[in-house]
Amino acid sequence: MSELAGRQRPLVLVAGGRCWIRELAEPKTAACANAHRLVWGNQETIWTLSRGAATAQPSPRIVALAKPKKDFSRNQCRPLFLYSCGRESTIWERPLLVNFGLPSDRLLKLAEPKKCHPAYLQQRLRQSSGWPVSPAAMNYKATPWIQKLAQPKMLHPEFQPAREVPTQVTNVLARSSSRLQCLAGPRVVKASSFYENIYPEAVIRPVSKFAQEATASPRTLELAMAKRLHPDFVPMRGAEWPVTQAAKQAVATPRLVELAQPCKRPPMSFAQFNPDAFTVKETAKRAICSPRIKELAQPIKR
């Protein structure tokens, strides 16, 4: 490509510039001339290591970073599939005490509670339980008024405690009256959702004799009439109706025949693949490029 870019070659447009496209489509030879074939699965590196990189001595920092991380799950008795998808969590088994050692100084230091900052101790509220009490306050003798205020609030003289739920029966052999037995019985609710009939042909709700012999007024007869349809009402058309003789002998126009043709869709095999994508049209083969296209088709000079 360097030789092609170094010298100018005349542009020849044959069949729409195919010669220039073929020349550009040739693979580069300089990049893959000295490249060796890669074989996957061996211990060779993709890039060849230099002699200096192969014999270099690592620094202490690189040696420290190259050490593997400590495995803290060695003493944990849990299977590998504990948190895998589709399995429930299990209770861990307690490992043996032999596998545990004494905590290190670092763990003991981290286990100590965090001390409060002196500025926080000065600004915190008096209600805090951790407020230090001075020796003067601890040795202070309370006055009679403070001792009176420290007494708990007494109950009202007429206060009565809550009565116990199970009451004590005074006389076990006592007999209840008929009134108490009547009140102690369950409440009987008569079902009123239906009427008791003597025979099945009877009406659900009994009609009185006066209602049967009553004569309806003209207003009642007028209200009892069913609602009539609109004069312009058209009933629903049936799903099947006879075809007229004129429709049977009708001749379709060319426009109707054109509209009656089914929609043509490409087959499913060509939905994702177009075999005519790289086909050059006849008009493109006979086209003549303009001077501007010739100017743009010139290779870049480097």
Side-chain angles (χ1 to χ4, degrees):
M1 294 300 294
S2 59
E3 298 177 2
L4 296 176
R7 57 184 179 179
Q8 298 183 4
R9 300 185 61 180
L11 180 64
V12 180
L13 294 176
V14 179
R18 284 191 174 183
C19 296
W20 180 244
I21 295 176
R22 290 178 180 177
E23 186 175 351
L24 292 176
E26 293 180 359
K28 296 181 180 180
T29 56
C32 58
N34 300 327
H36 62 280
R37 183 180 179 185
L38 297 177
V39 180
W40 300 100
N42 54 10
Q43 300 296 328
E44 297 180 2
T45 58
I46 299 178
W47 300 100
T48 305
L49 298 178
S50 60
R51 186 177 182 85
T55 58
Q57 296 294 334
S59 61
R61 177 60 177 168
I62 295 178
V63 174
L65 294 176
K67 291 182 179 180
K69 293 184 178 180
K70 185 178 179 180
D71 187 10
F72 294 96
S73 62
R74 182 178 302 175
N75 297 329
Q76 296 181 1
C77 301
R78 57 178 177 179
L80 297 177
F81 55 84
L82 181 60
Y83 298 109
S84 60
C85 181
R87 295 181 180 270
E88 57 186 6
S89 178
T90 58
I91 300 177
W92 294 359
E93 299 179 0
R94 185 178 64 83
L96 300 177
L97 298 178
V98 183
N99 299 332
F100 287 94
L102 296 177
S104 59
D105 298 337
R106 176 62 177 169
L107 291 178
L108 294 176
K109 183 178 180 181
L110 294 176
E112 294 179 359
K114 187 177 180 181
K115 298 181 180 180
C116 297
H117 199 269
Y120 169 75
L121 296 177
Q122 297 177 3
Q123 298 178 2
R124 62 181 176 175
L125 302 176
R126 293 284 181 176
Q127 290 82 1
S128 177
S129 59
W131 189 272
V133 182
S134 61
M138 297 175 65
N139 299 328
Y140 176 76
K141 293 183 179 180
T143 60
W145 176 245
I146 294 179
Q147 293 181 0
K148 182 179 180 181
L149 293 177
Q151 293 294 332
K153 188 177 180 181
M154 300 178 64
L155 299 176
H156 195 270
E158 300 180 359
F159 172 77
Q160 295 182 1
R163 186 179 179 182
E164 296 182 0
V165 177
T167 57
Q168 300 293 335
V169 180
T170 57
N171 189 4
V172 183
L173 301 178
R175 295 182 180 181
S176 60
S177 61
S178 58
R179 178 59 179 170
L180 290 178
Q181 292 181 1
C182 180
L183 295 175
R187 184 181 178 184
V188 179
V189 180
K190 184 178 180 181
S192 59
S193 58
F194 61 92
Y195 295 90
E196 297 181 358
N197 299 326
I198 301 176
Y199 50 94
E201 292 79 6
V203 295
I204 298 177
R205 186 182 297 271
V207 183
S208 61
K209 185 176 181 181
F210 298 97
Q212 297 179 7
E213 297 176 356
T215 304
S217 61
R219 179 58 179 169
T220 305
L221 295 175
E222 182 181 357
L223 294 175
M225 294 178 60
K227 187 177 180 180
R228 290 183 257 177
L229 299 175
H230 195 270
D232 299 336
F233 172 76
V234 179
M236 184 182 299
R237 190 174 184 180
E240 181 181 359
W241 60 90
V243 183
T244 60
Q245 192 68 20
K248 295 180 180 179
Q249 298 178 357
V251 179
T253 60
R255 178 59 179 170
L256 289 178
V257 175
E258 181 181 357
L259 294 175
Q261 295 296 329
C263 182
K264 295 182 180 180
R265 295 182 176 86
M268 293 303 297
S269 58
F270 293 160
Q272 302 295 336
F273 172 71
N274 187 10
D276 300 334
F278 302 97
T279 303
V280 183
K281 299 180 182 179
E282 294 296 333
T283 55
K285 295 180 181 180
R286 296 192 297 268
I288 300 175
C289 59
S290 61
R292 178 58 178 168
I293 295 179
K294 290 183 181 181
E295 181 182 356
L296 294 175
Q298 294 292 335
I300 300 177
K301 297 179 181 180
R302 295 183 176 86

